[in-house]
Amino acid sequence: MKRIIFLIILVIVLSGCLNRGVKQQPEPLRCGSIGSGRGITVDFISNAPPREITEGRRFTSSLKFANYNPDAMNVNYLVQDSTDAEGFDDQSGSVLVESATVSGNRLHEPGCKLFGEDLAEKNLGVFTYRNLEFDDYIDFVVRISYDYTALLNGNFCAYNPALGGTFECSDRELISNLGLSTAYDPVTVTSVSKQITSLGADSVLIVLDMMIENLGGGRIKGDKETLNFRINSPDGLSFDCISENIAEGSRRGNNLLVYLFNKRANVKCESEVSADRFVKYSFNIELEYPYEYYASTGQIKLINVKNG
């Protein structure tokens, strides 16, 4: 059973959820780049476990993390091997990873130090395989999971085309600046386009067409990869949103449950407002989801010591 469960996880890793970037030597205070460069990523420390493990000989296994967020993050981890041989039980726990270094409007370097640990790594312990019947090739896989909230914001102009054009505002606009969050969120809003349609002399219909994409090296946890989408405006706009990827049981409005299909989902939000002059509006978007990321050692040789 353990082997079957492990193989399911390994298939996910090999099918694209794994995004590796291993350094040759661990760095105790600086982790450098690991994986996709979004959210939280993880990898095994080089040679821990080693590329060959001999029956009866002790070996260590250690993890290193990289946090690409400006806030410290709590991360759950689970490490499994692909063999039923005696010697390595599933290792699980949680760590708090320090925040990334931010300078101005850009991330400088991911955080890697673990609170409560002396080094920027998690030592899982010392292990020994015993009672092997034959040589084997195995893998170790680590899966991490964490709850994530992406906070984005933007602004746009509005006017009534029926009352004449204005060089200050267009009825169509691509809103590109959604804040620093888009640079490190594993799942984020990648584009927002605005369209204004006149409903007469007194009002207009504003449509925001948004694309949500998974840019991280992992996936949203769960079969349907579902996230919670919310939008509001400090300027009093009331949004009514819909999506072809709306989850079962969710209703249209400014708060939707949306699932990703092929790592993306489209959401359209409408707002009817009075507009007899040029106006600027702002909006805030919040995406909430549980995220998971995988990494693997690749093939490791397990050597049986033959008696006699």
Side-chain angles (χ1 to χ4, degrees):
M1 178 61 70
K2 179 181 177 182
R3 183 183 289 268
I4 293 173
I5 295 173
F6 178 87
L7 288 175
I8 292 173
I9 295 175
L10 188 59
V11 167
I12 296 175
V13 172
L14 296 177
S15 65
C17 289
L18 169 65
N19 195 336
R20 290 175 52 78
V22 181
K23 287 193 169 187
Q24 293 300 313
Q25 297 294 333
E27 296 180 86
L29 295 178
R30 293 180 178 273
C31 52
S33 178
I34 302 174
S36 67
R38 287 180 173 270
I40 311 291
T41 57
V42 66
D43 213 334
F44 289 90
I45 294 290
S46 179
N47 206 40
R51 306 312 303 170
E52 289 188 355
I53 300 174
T54 302
E55 177 186 5
R57 293 187 180 179
R58 303 196 308 171
F59 68 93
T60 62
S61 181
S62 299
L63 303 173
K64 59 180 178 178
F65 298 81
N67 181 7
Y68 291 89
N69 299 269
D71 299 306
M73 296 283 290
N74 189 67
V75 184
N76 299 313
Y77 65 84
L78 172 65
V79 181
Q80 298 176 297
D81 66 352
S82 61
T83 177
D84 291 324
E86 176 187 346
F88 186 91
D89 295 327
D90 292 354
Q91 302 293 308
S92 62
S94 63
V95 293
L96 183 61
V97 190
E98 71 173 353
S99 62
T101 302
V102 180
S103 177
N105 291 323
R106 61 186 295 247
L107 294 175
H108 248 327
E109 183 177 341
C112 58
K113 185 172 176 55
L114 308 180
F115 289 90
E117 302 287 340
D118 294 331
L119 300 176
E121 62 186 63
K122 178 63 179 178
N123 189 334
L124 300 176
V126 180
F127 309 94
T128 307
Y129 281 112
R130 300 186 184 280
N131 304 321
L132 302 181
E133 297 180 0
F134 45 79
D135 289 353
D136 200 358
Y137 285 93
I138 65 172
D139 299 82
F140 291 83
V141 168
V142 54
R143 177 180 64 188
I144 62 172
S145 61
Y146 52 93
D147 294 326
Y148 196 88
T149 302
L151 301 173
L152 308 103
N153 55 80
N155 56 76
F156 59 88
C157 61
Y159 77 106
N160 193 336
L163 301 181
T166 171
F167 67 88
E168 297 179 280
C169 188
S170 172
D171 60 347
R172 295 176 183 270
E173 177 186 3
L174 183 62
I175 304 169
S176 56
N177 185 9
L178 298 175
L180 178 62
S181 176
T182 57
Y184 55 78
D185 294 335
V187 178
T188 192
V189 177
T190 55
S191 68
V192 180
S193 62
K194 176 208 74 178
Q195 182 176 345
I196 299 176
T197 303
S198 176
L199 299 178
D202 298 327
S203 63
V204 297
L205 179 67
I206 300 171
V207 178
L208 299 182
D209 192 339
M210 289 163 275
M211 182 61 68
I212 301 170
E213 294 187 78
N214 180 2
L215 302 179
R219 66 191 300 274
I220 294 179
K221 193 174 180 179
D223 294 338
K224 277 287 193 175
E225 293 198 63
T226 302
L227 60 84
N228 192 4
F229 169 92
R230 283 191 290 271
I231 184 171
N232 60 69
S233 170
D235 300 315
L237 292 181
S238 179
F239 288 104
D240 184 30
C241 305
I242 192 63
S243 172
E244 292 183 356
N245 297 47
I246 192 169
E248 185 177 354
S250 182
R251 297 182 178 181
R252 63 184 301 156
N254 72 326
N255 190 343
L256 304 177
L257 288 177
V258 178
Y259 66 88
L260 301 187
F261 181 73
N262 288 334
K263 295 190 173 185
R264 54 171 48 191
N266 177 256
V267 177
K268 289 186 178 181
C269 296
E270 298 180 349
S271 183
E272 184 177 337
V273 297
S274 299
D276 56 2
R277 55 187 174 81
F278 172 83
V279 184
K280 282 191 174 182
Y281 292 105
S282 59
F283 61 90
N284 300 317
I285 298 173
E286 185 174 310
L287 307 178
E288 287 186 333
Y289 47 87
Y291 202 73
E292 56 186 11
Y293 182 92
Y294 299 81
S296 169
T297 59
Q299 207 168 65
I300 288 176
K301 186 174 183 180
L302 195 55
I303 302 173
N304 173 36
V305 177
K306 295 181 173 60
N307 294 326

